[in-house]
Amino acid sequence: MRRFLSAGRPAGHLAVPGAEPALPAAPVRKRFRRSVVLAAAAAALGTAAAVLPAGGASAAPAPAAGVPAVAAAPTTFTHPGVLVSLPQLQYAKSQVQAGAEPWKDAYAQMTASSYASLSRTAKPRADVDCGSYSNPDNGCTDERQDAIAAYTDALTWYISGNSAYAQKAIDLMNAWSSTITEHTNSNAPLQTGWAGSVWPRAAEIIRYTYSGWSSSDIDRFATMLRTVYLPEVINGSNSNGNWELSMMEAAVGISIFLNDGADYDKAIARYLNRVAAYVYLSTDGSLPKTVPGSGLDTSAKIISYWQGQSTFVTGLTQETCRDFTHTGYGIASISDVAETAAIQGQDLYPQVGERLRQALGFQSKYELGTAPPSWLCGGSLNLGLGPVTEVGFNALHNRMGVAMTNTQALTESQRPAGTNSLFVAWETLTNADNPDVVPAGTTHLTTPGSAG
């Protein structure tokens, strides 16, 4: 089933050199709706801009004009429905079986990786202790790699039909769900966001396409997500924006696995505010938007938070002048949450599509080799965006028909996209030119709030 998503662009948007072409309007096709619209998110989006005097004095935020209403959340959840849907899996499988590229090479890359090894032994820990930049690394790398391995095995199972991979994914998920009790130290929120973004992807595929995962094991895994992961991520973070974006990706995926509508809504609301504050558009005013409660109430504070960058142009992100690697983390989670919401029948592109498109285009331009001007990050950029463009590019370009010259060139030059060994993995396989999002007649309905 081909899904066409709407795309909104604020009136009066001004293009900047190197930006991608403007988003066209597209029809909205609705699927499942929750009775309660995300009114709080809509209100917050309308007041998130903090346009401050040049001298740095604070000013009361003013409502943004023309902010589109937030689409209603699903009344029920679609499964499997975290980042990849059943039709997307079916499409990827059909392309691999046909020997078509780039899916053939992407599948070969994935199955040749250590993550697909059937001899992998899980390394769970009760306390995953992660300091800044994973120093100390007491279980941090092990947890992330085991989560990616479980997702890799789940994908391999679905495409190959070899149940040994489904069983390996189950072994990894069971090992962690029977052991872990907490994440500690300064990087705990980010570590939880990274691993918590990947576990539900694996779990959704196995739970809804394979019959060998026992109900008691599923319940224990659900309890792990509910008690160890969700509380750590659901309230977000005022650290660099990639933290909160990855945390909200985890919260959204976990909420779907748990059929938890309330926490899904809460995570989407935080995500929308953070996206607006992470990617700058010229229509935001003289300064970027801020997240309510962040304490960024003067121009000096905002500029410092944006890595000292004081010239703001469309497509710049809060971490562009830090480095492209962390910027890539933020872009990946923006893309992943929008894709997951689309699978669930909730169209977030009127709110995030323009920012995602411009962030991809702006960063891709320089990643491809364009020399930065002197006003951008002092004329020096730390490149290395990572394998993060496939999901957003496919949604905006292939499904919505938006021309994205820079992003397309970078995406195609990086195929097949692999993994960053944190939370991004195998997106060429799952998303390259994939036209299918929403299942047709394959939805599993369960009671919101239950483990299913």
Side-chain angles (χ1 to χ4, degrees):
M1 173 179 175
R2 188 177 183 87
R3 178 172 173 79
F4 298 92
L5 304 178
S6 73
R9 142 175 108 87
H13 172 76
L14 299 178
V16 298
E20 301 286 12
L23 280 169
V28 180
R29 292 177 63 182
K30 299 179 181 178
R31 190 165 171 80
F32 302 107
R33 301 296 184 197
R34 190 188 306 283
S35 59
V36 179
V37 179
L38 294 176
L45 282 170
T47 60
V51 181
L52 308 177
S58 63
V67 176
V70 178
T75 54
T76 50
F77 291 109
T78 296
H79 302 292
V82 177
L83 189 57
V84 289
S85 65
L86 189 58
Q88 287 173 298
L89 289 168
Q90 292 168 337
Y91 179 83
K93 179 176 182 176
S94 69
Q95 297 303 105
V96 171
Q97 290 179 335
E101 297 293 3
W103 305 274
K104 178 183 175 182
D105 282 353
Y107 181 70
Q109 174 197 44
M110 180 182 75
T111 54
S113 74
S114 62
Y115 293 108
S117 173
L118 291 174
S119 63
R120 171 178 288 271
T121 300
K123 298 179 180 178
R125 291 175 60 99
D127 177 5
V128 176
D129 174 26
C130 304
S132 179
Y133 291 92
S134 294
N135 182 23
D137 181 349
N138 295 318
C140 316
T141 298
D142 291 338
E143 179 188 30
R144 295 193 304 265
Q145 292 189 350
D146 279 351
I148 292 174
Y151 178 51
T152 301
D153 291 329
L155 290 172
T156 306
W157 139 250
Y158 189 85
I159 292 173
S160 71
N162 185 342
S163 61
Y165 289 98
Q167 283 300 142
K168 177 54 67 173
I170 290 170
D171 291 346
L172 294 167
M173 292 188 289
N174 286 352
W176 279 91
S177 67
S178 62
T179 305
I180 190 170
T181 60
E182 61 182 341
H183 295 90
T184 56
N185 216 319
S186 59
N187 253 34
L190 183 59
Q191 172 73 19
T192 310
W194 283 340
S197 293
V198 182
W199 286 125
R201 299 178 204 162
E204 282 277 304
I205 293 171
I206 296 300
R207 183 180 184 182
Y208 293 102
T209 70
Y210 182 71
S211 61
W213 198 13
S214 73
S215 59
S216 59
D217 287 342
I218 292 172
D219 287 345
R220 187 177 64 228
F221 188 83
T223 298
M224 175 191 78
L225 293 181
R226 183 183 300 107
T227 60
V228 178
Y229 288 80
L230 191 58
E232 187 71 43
V233 297
I234 190 61
N235 293 316
S237 168
N238 283 325
S239 185
N240 282 301
N242 81 85
W243 277 51
E244 184 160 85
L245 287 166
S246 66
M247 291 164 72
M248 291 310 102
E249 179 176 355
V252 166
I254 290 168
S255 297
I256 290 169
F257 186 79
L258 298 177
N259 294 292
D260 182 344
D263 282 321
Y264 176 93
D265 286 351
K266 183 176 181 179
I268 291 293
R270 292 198 71 95
Y271 161 83
L272 290 172
N273 278 306
R274 177 58 69 177
V275 174
Y278 193 72
V279 182
Y280 178 81
L281 297 179
S282 63
T283 48
D284 293 339
S286 62
L287 288 166
K289 293 177 181 287
T290 61
V291 173
S294 65
L296 299 174
D297 53 5
T298 70
S299 59
K301 289 180 181 179
I302 292 172
I303 289 169
S304 176
Y305 186 60
W306 281 64
Q307 323 300 324
Q309 177 70 12
S310 58
T311 300
F312 300 101
V313 296
T314 292
L316 184 78
T317 80
Q318 182 254 315
E319 296 184 273
T320 297
C321 292
R322 179 187 185 187
D323 59 60
F324 275 31
T325 300
H326 287 88
T327 297
Y329 301 163
I331 289 174
S333 288
I334 293 171
S335 304
D336 292 352
V337 173
E339 185 79 351
T340 296
I343 292 169
Q344 298 304 326
Q346 184 181 29
D347 184 6
L348 300 180
Y349 285 96
Q351 287 75 40
V352 306
E354 179 73 349
R355 293 183 193 275
L356 175 58
R357 179 179 68 86
Q358 295 290 359
L360 283 167
F362 187 85
Q363 266 63 222
S364 293
K365 172 184 176 181
Y366 295 107
E367 192 76 15
L368 287 166
T370 297
S374 60
W375 55 261
L376 177 61
C377 310
S380 177
L381 296 172
N382 188 355
L383 303 177
L385 196 62
V388 303
T389 63
E390 287 278 15
V391 175
F393 174 68
N394 185 56
L396 295 169
H397 176 71
N398 295 323
R399 293 205 300 263
M400 295 169 55
V402 179
M404 300 174 69
T405 306
N406 298 323
T407 308
Q408 182 170 4
L410 181 62
T411 300
E412 293 177 351
S413 72
Q414 293 185 147
R415 287 178 174 169
T419 176
N420 67 0
S421 295
L422 299 174
F423 69 105
V424 178
W426 324 126
E427 292 181 352
T428 296
L429 177 65
T430 57
N431 289 84
D433 303 330
N434 197 320
D436 299 311
V437 179
V438 178
T442 57
T443 304
H444 300 257
L445 305 181
T446 48
T447 305
S450 73

